[in-house]
Amino acid sequence: MFEVIVIVHLLAASVWLGGSVALIVAAVPSIRTLELEHRVIAMKRIGLRWRPLGYGSLIVLGVTGVELARHDWEQGRSPFQTVLWVKVALSLGIVLASYLHNFVLGPRVQAEVREQRPQKTRPILVVVGYVSLALTITVPILGAILAKLAG
């Protein structure tokens, strides 16, 4: 059963990481070539289609991650526990950055575009997106370190 949990965890991580990279490297640059009105519509549609898959994978990662950590947890302080807590903190950072990006900053940028106001929020949105990407790349690396420490 442990192997199944590992496989499900890795598949969910692949969905989150692969989807995030695909959005940033392929979708967003392509959408930027569209006229403003079409760009806003395309970004919103892609975001709405990605959310169930992306957030679903984050939920699966959380549930399977707890079980994997429980399996390898030791009493007392250990390098495993230290790396695990860093991974947990960075994972929560991903959730926070994603929430801010999708439900706070994204709608503000849409309102600024729709109301033809200066896009003051867009640079913040971009920074939060890149922070999320950096965390998204870092967390699986910590997972590999945890696997080595547990092994």
Side-chain angles (χ1 to χ4, degrees), residues 21-87:
V21 170
L23 285 170
I24 291 171
V25 173
V28 171
S30 297
I31 289 171
R32 282 191 188 137
T33 64
L34 300 174
E35 293 179 26
L36 185 60
E37 180 181 331
H38 296 285
R39 185 181 331 148
V40 170
I41 292 168
M43 290 294 272
K44 185 172 184 174
R45 286 183 180 168
I46 287 174
L48 291 175
R49 291 191 72 139
W50 166 245
R51 282 181 194 163
L53 186 61
Y55 286 119
S57 69
L58 286 179
I59 291 168
V60 169
L61 285 165
V63 170
T64 57
V66 167
E67 183 57 30
L68 293 173
R70 189 185 68 74
H71 181 270
D72 292 316
W73 191 263
E74 303 166 5
Q75 294 298 336
R77 190 160 174 86
S78 69
F80 177 89
Q81 290 175 354
T82 302
V83 173
L84 175 64
W85 285 117
V86 171
K87 183 179 179 187

Side-chain angles (χ1 to χ4, degrees), residues 102-118:
N102 294 322
F103 299 107
V104 177
L105 300 171
R108 281 188 198 160
V109 169
Q110 288 176 352
E112 289 171 356
V113 169
R114 189 175 46 251
E115 297 164 9
Q116 297 179 344
R117 290 186 284 140

